[in-house]
Amino acid sequence: MALTTVDYGTMVMLLILVAASLAMCFIKDLVHAVIVYGTYSLIMALVWLQMNTPDIAITEAAAGIGMTVLMMVAIFRTSRREE
Amino acid sequence: MRDFILKRVAALLLPFIQMYGLYVIFHGHVSPGGSFAGGIVVGLAFIAFATIYGLERGRAKMPERITTLTESYGTLWYGIMGMVGIIKGAPFLANKLAGIDLGTLGTLSSGGLISLIGLGVGIRVASTMITLFFTMMEEES
């Protein structure tokens, strides 16, 4: 019943989410992994918007894409970049 | 990270990003978003400036003395706005009970004190994010 309310566009976005989170596990360069994480957050914000929660979408876009990515980049400037 | 195109685009975009953050803070009760998301957007503008233009110039925009003040007084502002209800003879953080005119539905003034309370929370969140970023960046270098 829950699946019938999810349309095909959302299904494609959820598949991209799975692919991005799997890719993050296997990428060696941590900066590249953070960029893939930004993609993950962007798609996740679109999924929230699709599920009629624009409030969470804005928070995901601001905190997930902007803040987390910048914080991770700030960490990599002071520590090792390669895993 | 010292790119010419990046600097020009940032100089063009950052004021609008900050205005959008303030819009999200003030319209938290009538449109999506809120003081937390808006505060992050405002803080992000400063952090992006520091990332693109260098740490020294970013720190000059937002010195540690000012972030300490805004972080503390943002929280104090929340308490002061809550005390308005008590002064008017109503519970803490009271809005309509304190006799504040709520205006027409769907406009900015329909929230009463909510916009002003959100301003305190937004300033607090923004300065916390800026402090966090600069603490992590200046740790080693």
Side-chain angles (χ1 to χ4, degrees):
Chain A
M1 191 60 194
L3 261 185
T4 55
T5 60
V6 178
D7 57 355
Y8 289 109
T10 314
M11 286 295 284
V12 170
M13 286 194 280
L14 292 175
L15 286 177
I16 295 175
L17 284 186
V18 173
S21 26
L22 280 178
M24 268 188 280
C25 301
F26 294 110
I27 292 176
K28 287 285 181 247
D29 194 338
L30 290 179
V31 173
H32 296 177
V34 166
I35 293 171
V36 174
Y37 176 76
T39 315
Y40 174 89
S41 283
L42 179 65
I43 302 295
M44 195 69 217
L46 288 177
V47 171
W48 287 126
L49 200 60
Q50 193 70 26
M51 292 177 174
N52 291 324
T53 51
D55 203 349
I56 312 294
I58 283 186
T59 309
E60 176 76 37
I65 301 172
M67 197 51 74
T68 311
V69 169
L70 274 179
M71 289 289 175
M72 293 286 181
V73 171
I75 292 174
F76 294 148
R77 282 190 69 164
T78 58
S79 68
R80 275 189 313 134
R81 177 170 166 168
E82 290 286 328
E83 192 178 23
Chain B
M1 282 195 189
R2 305 286 182 271
D3 198 9
F4 176 76
I5 297 175
L6 199 59
K7 280 182 179 178
R8 292 286 85 78
V9 170
L12 202 66
L13 278 185
L14 284 181
F16 293 102
I17 292 176
Q18 278 181 328
M19 279 307 294
Y20 178 69
L22 286 176
Y23 168 81
V24 171
I25 287 176
F26 279 117
H27 290 75
H29 54 289
V30 288
S31 72
S35 37
F36 180 72
I40 286 186
V41 172
V42 172
L44 203 61
F46 284 103
I47 291 174
F49 182 85
T51 314
I52 293 165
Y53 282 85
L55 269 187
E56 297 300 319
R57 290 188 63 186
R59 202 43 157 163
K61 289 275 181 201
M62 213 61 181
E64 192 172 0
R65 185 169 47 86
I66 293 183
T67 49
T68 311
L69 284 181
T70 50
E71 209 172 330
S72 314
Y73 282 98
T75 318
L76 186 65
W77 179 252
Y78 190 102
I80 290 172
M81 282 296 120
M83 282 296 172
V84 169
I86 290 185
I87 291 171
K88 290 282 191 80
F92 187 71
L93 277 178
N95 212 347
K96 193 175 181 182
L97 283 176
I100 292 162
D101 185 24
L102 291 190
T104 49
L105 195 67
T107 56
L108 181 60
S109 65
S110 68
L113 288 178
I114 298 293
S115 302
L116 295 174
I117 291 172
L119 179 65
V121 179
I123 287 174
R124 163 80 207 219
V125 170
S127 49
T128 303
M129 288 299 164
I130 293 167
T131 311
L132 210 62
F133 177 77
F134 279 114
T135 308
M136 277 159 50
M137 288 297 272
E138 289 166 352
E139 190 176 1
E140 292 289 324
S141 55

